[in-house]
Amino acid sequence: MTLEPQSGLFADASLRLEKALQYVTLPEDALEYLRHPKSSLSVSIPVRMDNGSLQVFQGYRVRYDDTRGPTKGGVRYHPKVSLDEVQSLAFWMTFKCAVLNLPFGGGKGGITLDPKALSKMELERLSRGYIDAIADFIGPDVDILAPDVYTNPMIMGWMMDQYNVIQRKITRAVVTGKPLAMGGSEGRDEATGVGAFMVIETIAPKLGLVPAETTVAIQGFGNAGSILAIQLWKAGYRIVAVSDSQGGIYSAQGLDIPSIQYQKESTRRLQAVYCDGSVCSVVDHQAISNEDLLKLEVDILIPAALENQITEANADQIKAKYIFEVANGPITSAADTILDRKGIVVFPDILVNAGGVTVSYFEWVQNRSGLYWSEEEVQQQLQKRMVKATEDLWHLAQKKAISIRTAGYVLALERIGEAIAVKGTRDYYVRA
Ligand code: GLU
């Protein structure tokens, strides 16, 4: 069966499923389930602004599939958040959790706003209002929230606290990525960047990449991109370009990443929620646009910002040898085909950025057991899971002569399909 042609991000994301179906035998029922999100909630969130006026924000929470466990996924604050985007992100979370073999399904949430335009108090009221609106649909065994683009531990703390106020009891495991003092996990904040580094370190020897001779360009210097940049820099990779939403900087000799990070951090306003500085404010550099950064002739290109960065329009001009997707969905399916034809090897988001949700899983486990792990324990467990998933996809791709992305979908589909099958026939009558 093929998927119905539609337009939009979700339709594009679904094309990856169709491609993978050629390599996996999935019961028709299982595919029919996976074509639709389990539930999509759209909410209006009234917020009292600092000037006394009332503003209503649009929020979403999508639970894509919960066959393998409670749905899990972040909440994004961004002006471009839409139901189509949140649905796509929830779809990717379903496959990401299955690739890492975590006992979770996929979910995602978001609020459409420019978070930098709100004061800290307004953001807190908005975050609590979001939980008021979705509280009946989340829970440690139902749907678990986490940070995503422009949300952070402080916001996760507010969300957990609001849920506790509503429930009149402490329920830590409903939100992950919380501050340590509220039951967060060691290593969660850095987990996406660290996990991506573990994937690169596992793959580099297979590709014959030696750090000192390997050039890297990174689009996006947020939580994931900046942590990964530091890790790669420490390991000796030559990072020739980095960028953020304001633009980028380039140096053929390689950039001094710690000083760029220091510069960004030190311009952070006292009390501000977000970092105001841009990588562009670092002195002595050659400026480069986000678009040109993607076209650099480097060994490794790392899109670590938003989706839809490499499309049919620019895929032909990409000169990198390898791409590691740290952002969710930075390459469209049409661009995938072009990159493949050019021999550019792509390591997909559902593997590369899975470190975040993996440590979220550890946080959920720690909250439920009441026993907290050391930073070292978290790193060891993360390393084990990231290396295993990377090796699994690498070998499956070789065995079936398919891309690593398709291998990811094949492995995930096998796991989800099996879970649907062993549930028996109850779903012949009703979908729980
Ligand atoms: N937002 C992150 C992602 O896209 C983390 C999700 C989580 O920790 O649940 O994978």
Side-chain angles (χ1 to χ4, degrees):
M1 181 196 274
T2 54
L3 299 168
E4 286 161 21
Q6 286 172 327
S7 63
L9 193 61
F10 178 64
D12 192 67
S14 305
L15 290 175
R16 263 72 185 250
L17 250 192
E18 195 180 10
K19 206 168 190 177
L21 285 172
Q22 299 165 34
Y23 306 97
V24 59
T25 326
L26 202 70
E28 190 86 347
D29 285 3
L31 174 60
E32 186 57 13
Y33 278 150
L34 291 173
R35 292 174 71 196
H36 312 279
K38 184 181 167 84
S39 63
S40 300
L41 187 64
S42 171
V43 294
S44 300
I45 311 159
V47 177
R48 186 63 62 191
M49 306 303 279
D50 290 347
N51 66 6
S53 68
L54 186 83
Q55 205 174 317
V56 175
F57 293 86
Q58 197 60 45
Y60 306 95
R61 185 73 194 171
V62 174
R63 300 182 63 218
Y64 198 86
D65 182 78
D66 67 347
T67 315
R68 288 175 41 86
T71 46
K72 181 84 193 81
V75 183
R76 174 173 295 201
Y77 285 3
H78 195 271
K80 293 216 171 101
V81 163
S82 65
L83 185 59
D84 180 54
E85 183 192 50
V86 175
Q87 199 166 296
S88 310
L89 290 160
F91 170 90
W92 286 318
M93 285 308 299
T94 306
F95 291 90
K96 195 187 297 183
C97 291
V99 164
L100 268 290
N101 215 359
L102 308 178
F104 290 139
K108 202 79 173 200
I111 305 178
T112 316
L113 83 154
D114 173 7
K116 293 181 182 174
L118 267 64
S119 73
K120 190 172 167 183
M121 291 282 278
E122 288 167 341
L123 273 173
E124 179 172 347
R125 290 195 287 271
L126 174 70
S127 306
R128 290 183 184 274
Y130 178 64
I131 297 301
D132 287 340
I134 66 167
D136 290 339
F137 305 92
I138 61 175
D141 294 308
V142 181
D143 184 25
I144 305 134
L145 279 48
D148 194 74
V149 172
Y150 287 132
T151 49
N152 54 27
M154 181 170 66
I155 293 173
M156 293 306 114
W158 294 332
M159 288 186 177
M160 184 199 81
D161 186 60
Q162 189 61 19
Y163 187 76
N164 292 346
V165 168
I166 295 167
Q167 300 293 322
R168 297 180 68 83
K169 64 180 179 193
I170 305 294
T171 309
R172 292 205 160 95
V174 65
V175 175
T176 58
K178 302 178 293 290
L180 280 179
M182 277 183 132
S185 174
E186 294 285 352
R188 173 61 187 88
D189 214 17
E190 309 84 40
T192 309
V194 170
F197 178 69
M198 289 168 176
V199 173
I200 296 175
E201 284 284 273
T202 308
I203 290 294
K206 301 186 195 298
L207 304 175
L209 293 175
V210 179
E213 292 157 21
T214 304
T215 52
V216 183
I218 305 177
Q219 184 202 42
F221 208 71
N223 176 271
S226 66
I227 301 282
L228 174 58
I230 289 280
Q231 298 266 327
L232 289 169
W233 182 86
K234 281 190 189 152
Y237 287 84
R238 187 147 56 96
I239 302 168
V240 295
V242 296
S243 69
D244 57 24
S245 57
Q246 310 296 304
I249 54 178
Y250 171 81
S251 160
Q253 287 73 47
L255 297 160
D256 180 42
I257 299 298
S259 71
I260 296 168
Q261 184 150 41
Y262 176 77
Q263 182 80 15
K264 263 205 97 154
E265 284 294 316
S266 60
T267 51
R268 187 191 290 255
R269 250 186 310 153
L270 206 64
Q271 303 278 322
V273 178
Y274 300 103
C275 170
D276 273 346
S278 166
V279 295
C280 312
S281 51
V282 176
V283 284
D284 282 343
H285 68 269
Q286 200 181 323
I288 187 166
S289 69
N290 264 298
E291 184 60 25
D292 287 342
L293 180 144
L294 296 174
K295 298 174 189 160
L296 285 173
E297 196 167 340
V298 286
D299 296 303
I300 295 179
L301 174 63
I302 299 176
L306 292 171
E307 56 267 8
N308 276 344
Q309 297 302 301
I310 302 176
T311 65
E312 237 173 331
N314 62 359
D316 243 338
Q317 298 157 57
I318 306 296
K319 297 178 209 77
K321 293 195 186 93
Y322 308 103
I323 303 180
F324 288 79
E325 292 183 323
V326 170
N328 287 307
I331 303 177
T332 63
S333 62
D336 249 356
T337 311
I338 300 169
L339 297 175
D340 205 36
R341 203 181 57 222
K342 286 167 65 91
I344 299 172
V345 182
V346 176
F347 295 87
D349 46 7
I350 55 172
L351 168 70
V352 179
N353 72 25
V357 70
T358 302
V359 179
S360 274
Y361 166 54
F362 300 158
E363 183 172 331
W364 180 80
V365 168
Q366 292 170 72
N367 289 159
R368 290 165 74 99
S369 69
L371 185 68
Y372 286 81
W373 306 1
S374 66
E375 162 106 56
E376 201 186 8
E377 219 167 332
V378 169
Q379 297 308 330
Q380 272 171 9
Q381 292 289 337
L382 178 63
Q383 170 94 15
K384 227 166 53 193
R385 288 185 182 257
M386 294 307 294
V387 171
K388 166 98 174 72
T390 308
E391 294 284 358
D392 282 351
L393 297 203
W394 177 262
H395 293 297
L396 188 61
Q398 304 239 305
K399 194 172 127 198
K400 295 195 184 263
I402 52 179
S403 69
I404 314 274
R405 189 191 307 283
T406 302
Y409 280 90
V410 167
L411 183 67
L413 280 170
E414 281 169 357
R415 289 179 176 157
I416 299 167
E418 193 189 339
I420 292 174
V422 296
K423 270 170 79 176
T425 58
R426 182 170 177 274
D427 289 348
Y428 276 64
Y429 314 104
V430 60
R431 190 183 185 196

